[in-house]
Amino acid sequence: MLKGRNITGIIVSITYCLVLYEILLRAPKGESPNHPLWHYMMIPIGAIVICFIFDHIIKFDFFKNAKDSNEK
C-alpha cells in the first residue's frame, strides 16, 4: 500500500495537521473560531507539500534507515 512512500514525511505531515487543527480551533471561551476559509485550506495543502518534499526532494527516510541498520 505505501510501497515507495516516505514514512517520515507521512508522520511529519500528520503531526502538522494535528498541531494546525489545534491552533485553528483555539478561541476565547464562549466564542466560535472565526477564520477565513483559506486558513482551513492550509491543513491539507501543507500536508501535501510536506509529503512531496520528503518523497521527491529530501528522499531520506529516517524510519526505513533505522530498520535497515537494526537488521544488519
Side-chain angles (χ1 to χ4, degrees):
M1 184 174 144
L2 293 175
K3 192 172 187 177
R5 294 296 310 264
N6 194 321
I7 305 297
T8 306
I10 293 171
I11 291 175
V12 170
S13 65
I14 289 173
T15 306
Y16 165 82
C17 289
L18 294 174
V19 169
L20 193 61
Y21 180 75
E22 180 64 31
I23 290 171
L24 288 175
L25 283 184
R26 290 182 185 254
K29 270 192 170 173
E31 295 183 21
S32 63
N34 188 16
H35 300 292
L37 288 178
W38 66 269
H39 282 184
Y40 297 104
M41 287 303 298
M42 287 175 25
I43 296 174
I45 292 172
I48 291 169
V49 168
I50 290 171
C51 283
F52 177 81
I53 288 171
F54 273 92
D55 283 343
H56 299 287
I57 297 173
I58 295 176
K59 295 182 183 178
F60 182 77
D61 195 348
F62 295 103
F63 294 100
K64 286 183 182 175
N65 289 337
K67 271 194 237 176
D68 293 341
S69 65
N70 287 339
E71 292 175 359
K72 289 181 181 179

